[in-house]
Amino acid sequence: MQISKKSLLRIHLVEKRFPRLEGQRAKGRNLQLTAQVKGEENLVEEIQGRLCQQLVLSSKAVFQELQAV
């Protein structure tokens, strides 16, 4: 079986492009992970805000009960 020059050129082009495509895929994966982490950071900030609000409300309620006594 003989491989034509055209086929060899295609193989060579694929070999040249493959590392670049792998790099792009890795970059895309990193961007996806970054977005996921940022989403989780936003969720953590939202939860912290809600917990702070609940703490303030609870503190006010306790303070009011202490004043009533």
Side-chain angles (χ1 to χ4, degrees), residues 16-32:
K16 277 179 65 176
R17 291 181 182 166
F18 187 75
R20 187 179 72 196
L21 293 173
E22 282 293 308
Q24 288 174 348
R25 187 169 70 172
K27 186 177 179 181
R29 195 175 317 120
N30 288 342
L31 289 174
Q32 185 179 14

Side-chain angles (χ1 to χ4, degrees), residues 8-22:
L8 285 174
L9 287 174
R10 286 184 184 160
I11 291 170
H12 182 68
L13 282 174
V14 169
E15 288 174 344
K16 277 179 65 176
R17 291 181 182 166
F18 187 75
R20 187 179 72 196
L21 293 173
E22 282 293 308

Side-chain angles (χ1 to χ4, degrees), residues 9-56:
L9 287 174
R10 286 184 184 160
I11 291 170
H12 182 68
L13 282 174
V14 169
E15 288 174 344
K16 277 179 65 176
R17 291 181 182 166
F18 187 75
R20 187 179 72 196
L21 293 173
E22 282 293 308
Q24 288 174 348
R25 187 169 70 172
K27 186 177 179 181
R29 195 175 317 120
N30 288 342
L31 289 174
Q32 185 179 14
L33 289 173
T34 300
Q36 182 179 353
V37 167
K38 286 188 179 192
E40 289 173 0
E41 286 174 350
N42 291 340
L43 182 60
V44 167
E45 288 174 4
E46 184 181 334
I47 291 170
Q48 286 175 335
R50 288 182 184 181
L51 289 173
C52 287
Q53 287 175 343
Q54 288 178 351
L55 180 61
V56 167

Side-chain angles (χ1 to χ4, degrees), residues 52-67:
C52 287
Q53 287 175 343
Q54 288 178 351
L55 180 61
V56 167
L57 293 174
S58 297
S59 297
K60 284 181 181 179
V62 168
F63 184 71
Q64 288 173 353
E65 286 180 23
L66 288 174
Q67 281 185 331

